[in-house]
Amino acid sequence: MWIKIAAAAAVLACGVGAVAAASRTAAPPSAFETKAKHAILMDAGANLVLFEKDADTLAPPASMSKLMTLAIVFRELKAGRLKLEDEFKVSEHAWRTGGAPAGGSAMFAPLNSMVSVNDLIQGITVQSGNDAAIILAEGIAGSEEAFAKQMTEYGRTIGLEKSTFVNATGLPAEGHLMTARDLATLAHYIIYTYPEYYPFFGLKEFKYRNKFVFRNRNPLIFTDIGVDGLKTGYIKEAGYGLVASAKRGDQRLILVVSGLETVKDREAEAAKLLEWGFKSFKSFRLFDEGEKVSDALVWGGTKHYVPLVGDGNVNIILPATATGKVNASIVYEGPIKAPISKGDQVAILRVTSTDSQATNDIPLYAADNIGRSNFAMRGLDSLLVLAFGWLL
């Protein structure tokens, strides 16, 4: 409770400045070590990085890039342009490049057969089928090449800053590259944007055509550490990698590791990082859902202030050993220009622990609609800005 009171008092007393909000914050320095060449661990609820190692270097993502393939499939399903019952034909390209003749991971869909979207999704999430990925790509975009362009374009819109895609599978191809940070961002996006489809990743097996029973390739699914997704990957050029998410209580972590030399290293390093994350960091409640955090100043509106709330409960993540207080401030480009719609993200609550470098940036949203004022009131607001700098 002392954390909540200290933070709330700091917020209400803070000054307001025209400060651009950071898109992410780095974790404090850590003595933790991992064999992975690239790694990132984040608290999903707080969107806070807890650990990272060379997380912004582009590298071949192997089958982990199938998460981007699935993101487009889920987008089409949610928009109603695609149904789980829809069926796509297995083309010769899908069969030869990703199916049985290719010798890689496949769901072994027969040439020229029709396969449902539901089965194709499981063919990816459980079996990592390259044929399943190509069949979906061709069925949605007409060709794998056209689909790959959609992957890159959609990736940019959801915050993948560096990743580029050349195919739907992750098979070796020049220019098909992702960063560990982008993979974590993608996993976060899928979990929170498409929760109705996320359970596909936690399926332990997939039965296909009464002939095949595929076991989920993510070994952590079968452990007791809370993992319920997402995707493994391996090609010679990249080594072994894994995107995983685990939940314990109200806390969900997202992990990416890549560049490991063996399957055993992949499983061991991933499990070790997740255990460390759960033990080393804790969630603290600052504000309940719907509770006002503070107010932001408005220019040219029917009201001078707009109340700010979080998206649900407002929690922060701090080291489990934290003993000091926290400092908090409201960060936004102010004053905010009207009109403002309820639900617009207009500010950030920035909370920093006094005994560590851990910083949480929590989005804040307008709790009310604020209409635009008349010309005379906007002129008065401008005079107030010039005279007082809005420190009212």
Side-chain angles (χ1 to χ4, degrees):
M1 182 62 68
W2 65 268
I3 294 180
K4 178 177 180 179
I5 293 172
V11 169
L12 295 175
C14 74
V16 180
V19 183
S23 60
R24 60 174 175 262
T25 54
S30 170
F32 189 88
E33 295 182 358
T34 177
K35 294 179 181 178
K37 291 182 179 179
H38 312 287
I40 189 166
L41 177 69
M42 65 182 293
D43 184 280
N47 203 17
L48 178 70
V49 174
L50 308 178
F51 173 86
E52 62 180 271
K53 177 183 177 182
D54 200 18
D56 295 305
T57 297
L58 286 165
S63 284
M64 294 183 291
S65 67
K66 289 190 178 84
L67 292 178
M68 192 68 240
T69 301
L70 290 169
I72 292 182
V73 174
F74 297 156
R75 179 190 68 183
E76 297 303 294
L77 286 168
K78 194 162 190 174
R81 293 185 290 266
L82 193 65
K83 296 180 180 179
L84 291 173
E85 300 78 23
D86 290 344
E87 294 184 334
F88 292 137
K89 187 176 182 178
V90 182
S91 70
E92 184 168 351
H93 170 65
W95 181 70
R96 289 193 181 279
T97 305
S105 57
M107 65 181 286
F108 304 109
L111 177 64
N112 295 324
S113 66
M114 301 296 293
V115 188
S116 71
V117 171
N118 184 73
D119 282 350
L120 290 168
I121 292 173
Q122 294 180 73
I124 293 177
T125 59
V126 176
Q127 174 61 6
S128 192
N130 293 319
D131 49 356
I134 298 173
I135 295 164
L136 282 166
E138 292 179 336
I140 291 172
S143 71
E144 187 178 9
E145 182 181 6
F147 187 84
K149 290 181 180 178
Q150 286 191 27
M151 292 170 69
T152 300
E153 292 169 358
Y154 190 36
R156 290 293 179 271
T157 67
I158 65 176
L160 308 192
E161 297 180 353
K162 294 185 176 182
S163 299
T164 55
F165 304 92
V166 178
N167 58 48
T169 61
L171 289 169
E174 184 177 356
H176 192 91
L177 302 167
M178 298 187 74
T179 67
R181 193 182 308 279
D182 277 359
L183 279 164
T185 298
L186 177 56
H188 186 277
Y189 182 81
I190 288 174
I191 291 168
Y192 289 97
T193 306
Y194 305 114
E196 64 269 47
Y197 303 119
Y198 182 66
F200 275 112
F201 293 100
L203 296 175
K204 292 185 177 180
E205 66 176 27
F206 166 44
K207 297 179 181 179
Y208 178 54
R209 297 176 61 228
N210 295 320
K211 183 177 181 181
F212 300 103
V213 179
F214 300 112
R215 184 178 171 87
N216 199 310
R217 290 181 172 231
N218 182 351
L220 300 183
I221 292 288
F222 302 94
T223 68
D224 60 356
I225 61 177
V227 172
D228 52 15
L230 295 159
K231 192 73 192 70
T232 59
Y234 170 78
I235 55 174
K236 183 178 180 181
E237 294 83 351
Y240 292 89
L242 173 68
V243 181
S245 184
K247 187 175 183 182
R248 294 185 186 176
D250 293 331
Q251 188 176 15
R252 176 176 288 280
L253 301 182
I254 292 173
L255 168 71
V256 180
V257 291
S258 65
L260 289 155
E261 294 184 359
T262 68
V263 172
K264 289 184 178 180
D265 283 344
R266 175 173 65 187
E267 182 176 358
E269 291 300 300
K272 183 172 67 173
L273 260 167
L274 287 169
E275 287 288 356
W276 174 81
F278 281 121
K279 291 179 180 178
S280 301
F281 296 87
K282 289 185 178 180
S283 175
F284 297 88
R285 178 72 53 80
L286 294 187
F287 299 93
D288 294 327
E289 182 175 0
E291 183 179 358
K292 188 177 81 170
V293 176
S294 187
D295 296 287
L297 290 157
V298 177
W299 179 90
T302 52
K303 296 180 181 179
H304 286 309
Y305 297 92
V306 59
L308 304 175
V309 296
D311 181 15
N313 298 324
V314 175
N315 301 321
I316 60 171
I317 303 300
L318 296 173
T321 56
T323 58
K325 296 181 179 180
V326 295
N327 295 320
S329 59
I330 303 295
V331 181
Y332 63 95
E333 299 243 359
I336 303 167
K337 292 183 179 180
I340 301 168
S341 297
K342 183 178 180 180
D344 286 349
Q345 183 185 339
V346 294
I348 281 178
L349 172 63
R350 180 164 292 164
V351 184
T352 305
S353 170
T354 59
D355 59 358
S356 78
Q357 298 300 312
T359 299
N360 292 243
D361 277 357
I362 304 165
L364 296 178
Y365 304 86
D368 291 333
N369 295 312
I370 306 293
R372 196 179 185 200
S373 63
N374 58 39
F375 180 79
M377 289 300 297
R378 294 198 300 273
L380 179 60
D381 285 350
S382 296
L383 289 174
L384 290 172
V385 171
L386 291 173
F388 303 106
W390 280 97
L391 296 179
L392 303 179

